Amino acid sequence: DAKTTQPNSMESNEEEPVHLPCNHSTISGTDYIHWYRQLPSQGPEYVIHGLTSNVNNRMASLAIAEDRKSSTLILHRATLRDAAVYYCILRKAGNTPLVFGKGTRLSVIA
Amino acid sequence: DVKVTQSSRYLVKRTGEKVFLECVQDMDHENMFWYRQDPGLGLRLIYFSYDVKMKEKGDIPEGYSVSREKKERFSLILESASTNQTSMYLCASSVRWWANTEAFFGQGTRLTVV
């Protein structure tokens, strides 16, 4: 799987937007960009995924650079409940498992 | 709601014991996975299964085996537990990835081997 690079940690104030970056310069044309997050003492949960176009869902937005070598997960209004480790994962279309990196630990300050 | 249920949240076992970790999913998913998570090492794939009676080794299969006799159940077996298998174990399931959909994880089993 192609490699992703994320900052180890980030901090945000409550109720402000958060932009979590991910670099994936070796991404191939068939790689999807997935984001998962892991809240304390829980298993990971799916957040969002995309291929080329920006994507929105009830949890977040995913902005994908035009050359697809980077992407940004956007939480529009951070809450204390969003404090978690966020993982950016590249997946090829096909039946292969998720491979997790170290992710970004997001702290949210009240 | 999709549910992936792991049989125990916390387990304490003795060195040398045979340990069974059970995982059940209720959404008729074809794929099931076992990961372990350790501080500083992140989540690492132990084994996965694409179908009943099918299994594939992940990145760290040594010391583990798996069983999938029914579609909804995927068991992780520690043949002879050792202290270095003390970890958080996470089970996950998904439909076949052709449509590139999401995986669902259980709450995890924190296993301590003493």
Side-chain angles (χ1 to χ4, degrees):
Chain A
D1 285 329
K3 188 174 166 56
T4 62
T5 305
Q6 300 177 252
N8 289 333
S9 62
M10 290 184 64
E11 207 171 77
S12 172
N13 293 318
E14 199 177 10
E15 299 190 4
E16 289 190 358
V18 182
H19 291 231
L20 296 161
C22 182
N23 287 321
H24 28 78
S25 57
T26 59
I27 192 170
S28 73
T30 56
D31 286 341
Y32 283 74
I33 302 159
H34 283 242
W35 285 82
Y36 282 73
R37 73 179 186 179
Q38 187 172 19
L39 303 171
S41 301
Q42 294 193 28
E45 62 176 351
Y46 168 81
V47 178
I48 201 166
H49 78 275
L51 183 62
T52 55
S53 304
N54 294 345
V55 184
N56 298 300
N57 66 21
R58 63 173 180 80
M59 286 181 73
S61 296
L62 176 60
I64 301 172
E66 202 169 324
D67 64 4
R68 301 212 321 128
K69 293 187 176 182
S70 65
S71 61
T72 302
L73 179 70
I74 303 164
L75 307 179
H76 295 287
R77 250 179 114 215
T79 68
L80 297 177
R81 200 196 169 277
D82 292 319
V85 179
Y86 287 78
Y87 298 97
C88 170
I89 301 168
L90 299 184
R91 291 207 59 256
K92 297 193 181 306
N95 210 27
T96 57
L98 288 170
V99 176
F100 287 82
K102 300 289 174 65
T104 296
R105 182 173 297 278
L106 175 67
S107 302
V108 180
I109 303 166
Chain B
D1 269 356
V2 174
K3 204 165 178 187
V4 178
T5 304
Q6 295 184 229
S7 53
S8 304
R9 196 73 198 269
Y10 299 95
L11 268 183
V12 180
K13 296 291 181 181
R14 295 198 179 279
T15 301
E17 272 193 80
K18 189 168 186 175
V19 180
F20 293 84
L21 302 184
E22 306 287 348
C23 175
V24 177
Q25 49 93 4
D26 63 1
M27 285 300 291
D28 202 35
H29 285 170
E30 292 87 357
N31 295 340
M32 295 189 76
F33 311 88
W34 275 106
Y35 293 83
R36 67 177 279 178
Q37 185 170 28
D38 302 288
L41 296 176
L43 280 98
R44 294 178 290 167
L45 183 67
I46 305 172
Y47 267 98
F48 56 104
S49 169
Y50 293 135
D51 206 341
V52 175
K53 297 194 187 296
M54 303 290 287
K55 61 183 179 184
E56 296 282 344
K57 292 180 180 179
D59 299 318
I60 51 164
E62 297 79 17
Y64 304 94
S65 62
V66 289
S67 172
R68 191 153 181 216
E69 295 298 317
K70 293 186 176 182
K71 192 175 186 179
E72 67 270 18
R73 187 180 295 270
F74 192 35
S75 302
L76 180 69
I77 304 156
L78 286 66
E79 297 289 344
S80 177
S82 64
T83 55
N84 64 12
Q85 292 178 309
T86 291
S87 186
M88 170 69 85
Y89 290 87
L90 290 154
C91 176
S93 73
S94 75
V95 296
R96 287 197 197 283
W97 288 86
W98 315 123
N100 231 355
T101 55
E102 62 196 275
F104 296 86
F105 284 79
Q107 292 283 73
T109 296
R110 186 165 293 282
L111 173 68
T112 302
V113 182
V114 297

